[in-house]
Amino acid sequence: MTPMTSAGAGSGTGTVAAARADARARAGLTAAAMPHVPASQSPHIPPGVPAEALVWAETVAPAGYTHRVVARGTRIRLDDPTGDACAHVFLLRADAPWERLNVADTLKIPWQAYLGAGHPLLSGDGRVLATVVADTSARHDAFCGTSTDAWNIAKYGEARPEGSSPSGQALFALAAAKHGLTARDLGPSVSFFQGVRVAADGTLAWQGSAGPAAVELVAELPLIVLLANVPHPLDPRADYTVGPLRVHAWRDEPTGPGDPAFDASPERTRAYLNTADDWESRS
């Protein structure tokens, strides 16, 4: 039998055996942006976190995206090592994905328009999907959502996910598809590390970055986490500017009574109680 060959016969991958050898020779190669499997092999383990406790470790490239299902009580740390990352985040409940992040309720229930430590991220059903439990940036946004295809085409000339300036909208669609979801399952997202404030005249003012920083969330329910690392839509820089984003996650505990976030206001307490009540009835 004639050995199977590729169109590149004569090259280092001209036969099946050569192609296999070439592929195996690349097994140990690493890149600046990649998932770390197992997570304990991450070169950027957060201080104080035992390597063996990690369940997710990844560096998301500029213009990249990632996604993961995490358990209730998982603590997720987002790191901006250069001051140019912009982590656009959308959350859906993993065991009931029709329940998803509702940005309007996320701002209304805590009576606070600006995200920071202690801020709950709510669904439209009055339950808390995740809580911001640590924040060294204070430059975030819950007004603008992520970039759209139309916006990126107008500003950068293209928005395709495989192109040089993908939109957050396009990357979220790819991430959602990995979980059997479509564009109709998505909604407005929040973003971390590039700040926006409302000016006195009602316009939205871009604050930019506070420099290298970290944000930590705890999952209050099992979640599908979608992340897109793309420039903020209000970023005034002409070039498509975004830095790498590091993600680490480990097992922790959901927010409960006695926690400052749980007891911050009657409205927040009710949201956490609604969350625990629904989860306990399903467990």
Side-chain angles (χ1 to χ4, degrees):
M1 180 181 293
T2 303
M4 185 183 298
T5 61
S6 71
S11 70
T13 57
T15 67
V16 171
R20 180 179 61 190
D22 180 72
R24 290 179 175 176
R26 299 172 185 271
L29 297 179
T30 61
M34 62 180 290
H36 303 287
V37 182
S40 59
Q41 298 301 308
S42 170
H44 308 293
I45 296 174
V49 178
E52 63 274 14
L54 291 172
V55 297
W56 181 14
E58 183 169 355
T59 299
V60 184
Y65 74 97
T66 190
H67 56 92
R68 185 65 61 104
V69 175
V70 300
R72 169 172 156 88
T74 302
R75 193 171 179 118
I76 305 164
R77 179 182 171 99
L78 307 177
D79 274 285
D80 174 9
T82 66
D84 271 328
C86 190
H88 300 262
V89 178
F90 191 71
L91 305 173
L92 305 97
R93 183 166 173 169
D95 58 340
W98 51 88
E99 185 172 355
R100 55 200 177 191
L101 179 67
N102 184 299
V103 174
D105 284 352
T106 291
L107 303 186
K108 178 177 68 177
I109 298 304
W111 302 100
Q112 173 55 261
Y114 302 122
L115 304 177
H119 202 118
L121 306 181
L122 283 96
S123 75
D125 294 283
R127 290 184 279 268
V128 185
L129 298 178
T131 303
V132 180
V133 292
D135 176 21
T136 65
S137 170
R139 297 285 181 92
H140 314 303
D141 174 38
F143 297 115
C144 298
T146 195
S147 53
T148 64
D149 288 357
W151 181 269
N152 275 33
I153 290 170
K155 183 172 183 180
Y156 305 114
E158 71 162 305
R160 297 173 302 141
E162 68 275 15
S164 60
S165 53
S167 71
Q169 179 186 61
L171 295 181
F172 272 146
L174 283 181
K178 306 294 186 180
H179 300 273
L181 305 171
T182 66
R184 67 181 296 174
D185 298 300
L186 301 174
S189 57
V190 296
S191 60
F192 296 98
F193 304 124
Q194 301 291 331
V196 171
R197 289 291 185 270
V198 180
D201 62 359
T203 58
L204 297 177
W206 186 71
Q207 288 191 314
S209 171
V215 169
E216 294 182 9
L217 314 174
V218 67
E220 308 293 354
L221 289 166
L223 297 177
I224 300 172
V225 181
L226 309 182
L227 282 167
N229 184 28
V230 299
H232 190 279
L234 293 190
D235 191 329
R237 292 173 289 189
D239 294 335
Y240 189 94
T241 304
V242 62
L245 173 69
R246 294 176 186 159
V247 185
H248 291 85
W250 59 95
R251 297 281 187 255
D252 204 334
E253 297 294 331
T255 304
D259 187 287
F262 188 100
D263 300 324
S265 70
E267 295 86 358
R268 297 191 198 197
T269 298
R270 175 55 56 189
Y272 284 110
L273 287 173
N274 288 343
T275 305
D277 177 67
D278 185 78
W279 172 250
E280 288 168 4
S281 70
R282 294 171 182 252
S283 301

